[in-house]
Amino acid sequence: MFDGFWDNVFRYPRYLITIVLGLFLNTFEPLMPLLKRPVTLIALVGLFAGSLVFLTLTIRAMLGLSTI
């Protein structure tokens, strides 16, 4: 009944890594042509950094942590 139980359990981390990597590649593949031009590269990096700062400040405010 439990012949391949541990083999099956040890497959899940590899499956998770495969799913996350596939999601990452399919998300950022359409953006690759935009990264070839310096203007759009700067805009995308600024958008990413701004989104990260916004998310960080929002979560800190929701948790009631001090801003600095």
Side-chain angles (χ1 to χ4, degrees), residues 28-53:
F28 292 109
E29 186 69 28
L31 298 176
M32 293 308 289
L34 296 175
L35 298 179
K36 292 180 181 177
R37 294 181 51 206
V39 174
T40 55
L41 175 64
I42 292 171
L44 286 175
V45 168
L47 181 66
F48 178 72
S51 299
L52 186 63
V53 169

Side-chain angles (χ1 to χ4, degrees), residues 50-65 67:
S51 299
L52 186 63
V53 169
F54 175 75
L55 182 65
T56 303
L57 292 174
T58 302
I59 291 175
R60 289 179 67 88
M62 289 173 71
L63 293 175
L65 301 173
T67 57

Side-chain angles (χ1 to χ4, degrees), residues 6-20:
W6 289 111
D7 291 333
N8 194 21
V9 169
F10 290 131
R11 284 187 208 159
Y12 281 106
R14 185 174 51 181
Y15 178 71
L16 178 66
I17 290 170
T18 304
I19 293 297
V20 170

